[in-house]
Amino acid sequence: MDNATVITLSLDASTLEKMLDFYADDLVQSDNPYVYFQARGEEVTVTAYNKEKDGLRKVVFQGRDALHESMIWGKPEEPVRAKPKPVKRQLTPTINVDQIGSDEVGTGDFFGPVIVVAAYVRKEDLPLLKSLGVTDSKLLTDEKILEIAPKLLGALDYSQLCLPNDKFNEVTKNGNNMNKIKAKMHNRCLLNVKARHPEAKAFQDQFAEAPLYFSYLRGEKEVLRDIVFATKGETKFPSVAAASVIARYSFLRNMQEMNNAYGVEFPFGAGPNVERFAKAFLKKYGLEEMNKVAKANFATMKKILKAQGLD
């Protein structure tokens, strides 16, 4: 990786939560106590720091794709040593075919379910998606998603699976890791929509190389194999973008239901604010209720249980 290009942004907590979800599959462990999270791709490393100034945290992008990656999230603060190139990861619906795309949300959130959606988009639906500004849900505000998703729900055929955390904790105890869980959910949603639209081409936001993805599905009675995989597929295929928006909308509604049930406001992501909230929730509601709303295999759970002497 060319480390010559370094970009620095100052971003608020809401944006960092979106980034955690966006880079969930690229997160790496950092031994630096000042690092909030670090994600590493083929051509860029993204490092967010804990220290806040005026409600903002520093995020550093380093590598050949630093400029393009940083432009997703904001305007660079420092001069860069690279020729500007077109911004990557903007939805350009050039795949002018009837298609099915799948995406998931909730995998990087300590609280809230894992949700997978497969959406069917016809050629004639593309103008609607464009008019609504449909793109990767992580690049849209939650307010925008709450505005446009109901219109997609009324216009598109889709299949959705929601795995609440009590069930998630059960299946992980049985030896299923996050990627295996996602693979099974993607496969089922894609099959559901493909059965209704057999001529449509299938696309998926890639979270594992194809051979590994299909290895997770060994033993499944039915597997959809004719799939086009692409990393950051939400910005490449309209159907995946639509699935991303619908999934995020469903996640937001689920979180609101949890808020109403417990009379609190659950935080998103898995950062220090989530850990502080989780400790207070555990103290008030106990471990049984915690296991209903949180992912027990997250490091956050291990930390708070150890702190309470419950590990």
Side-chain angles (χ1 to χ4, degrees):
M1 181 185 290
D2 178 7
N3 293 320
T5 303
V6 179
I7 311 294
T8 301
L9 301 180
S10 292
L11 302 172
D12 60 24
S14 175
T15 303
L16 261 66
E17 287 173 2
K18 292 179 183 294
M19 293 179 76
L20 265 174
D21 196 15
F22 191 75
Y23 296 115
D25 296 330
D26 302 318
L27 293 177
V28 296
Q29 185 67 37
S30 174
D31 295 327
N32 186 338
Y34 300 105
V35 169
Y36 179 53
F37 73 81
Q38 188 171 74
R40 189 167 296 142
E42 292 183 4
E43 301 293 346
V44 66
T45 296
V46 182
T47 306
Y49 291 90
N50 288 317
K51 186 176 180 180
E52 286 191 11
K53 182 178 180 181
D54 299 325
L56 301 176
R57 297 189 193 183
K58 185 170 72 172
V59 182
V60 176
F61 301 79
Q62 186 171 9
R64 286 195 185 96
D65 273 353
L67 175 61
H68 314 131
E69 201 75 19
S70 68
M71 290 173 72
I72 296 173
W73 307 105
K75 183 179 179 181
E77 299 171 357
E78 301 176 357
V80 297
R81 299 177 294 280
K83 293 182 179 179
K85 298 179 182 178
V87 180
K88 287 186 176 181
R89 298 183 181 171
Q90 299 299 314
L91 175 62
T92 53
T94 56
I95 312 299
N96 195 29
V97 296
D98 293 348
Q99 59 186 268
I100 304 164
S102 63
D103 198 13
E104 81 284 333
V105 298
T107 59
D109 291 271
F110 181 60
F111 294 110
V114 174
I115 296 175
V116 174
V117 171
Y120 172 59
V121 173
R122 304 166 300 168
K123 293 191 291 286
E124 51 264 43
D125 294 321
L126 294 178
L128 171 64
L129 269 62
K130 185 175 181 181
S131 70
L132 293 176
V134 173
T135 185
D136 178 5
S137 65
K138 303 177 198 70
L139 303 179
L140 299 173
T141 65
D142 288 341
E143 291 74 20
K144 181 68 173 177
I145 288 170
L146 291 170
E147 173 193 340
I148 68 175
K151 298 174 183 177
L152 292 178
L153 295 177
L156 304 180
D157 186 19
Y158 67 96
S159 176
Q160 175 178 285
L161 287 176
C162 178
L163 185 66
N165 281 329
D166 53 352
K167 184 64 175 177
F168 174 88
N169 293 333
E170 181 182 326
V171 297
T172 53
K173 283 182 181 178
N174 292 332
N176 295 281
N177 63 26
M178 181 67 84
N179 276 356
K180 189 171 185 178
I181 291 169
K182 288 195 295 183
K184 291 182 177 182
M185 294 175 73
H186 274 266
N187 181 59
R188 187 69 263 163
C189 284
L190 286 168
L191 284 169
N192 290 345
V193 182
K194 185 74 169 177
R196 299 193 289 268
H197 308 284
E199 302 305 316
K201 195 168 186 65
F203 299 94
Q204 185 187 115
D205 179 39
Q206 181 176 311
F207 56 87
E209 295 290 337
L212 181 59
Y213 171 81
F214 289 117
S215 75
Y216 291 135
L217 298 176
R218 289 173 188 156
E220 293 295 296
K221 292 181 179 179
E222 190 178 5
V223 175
L224 182 65
R225 296 191 176 275
D226 188 13
I227 304 172
V228 176
F229 297 92
T231 55
K232 308 305 178 188
E234 315 97 314
T235 57
K236 298 172 183 175
F237 308 117
S239 56
V240 177
S244 170
V245 170
I246 293 171
R248 179 66 179 179
Y249 175 75
S250 181
F251 184 81
L252 292 173
R253 289 178 62 89
N254 271 270
M255 290 291 278
Q256 188 57 53
E257 289 175 6
M258 286 169 50
N259 293 346
N260 296 340
Y262 290 94
V264 297
E265 186 168 343
F266 287 90
F268 297 97
N273 63 318
V274 173
E275 185 177 334
R276 288 191 293 269
F277 178 93
K279 288 178 180 177
F281 184 94
L282 178 63
K283 184 176 181 179
K284 182 175 181 180
Y285 291 100
L287 185 57
E288 184 176 348
E289 291 300 311
M290 174 70 85
N291 281 322
K292 294 179 182 178
V293 298
K295 297 178 179 69
N297 67 341
F298 271 41
T300 302
M301 181 72 92
K302 296 177 176 62
K303 288 175 67 175
I304 63 173
L305 292 182
K306 185 175 182 180
Q308 298 292 325
L310 299 173
D311 57 334

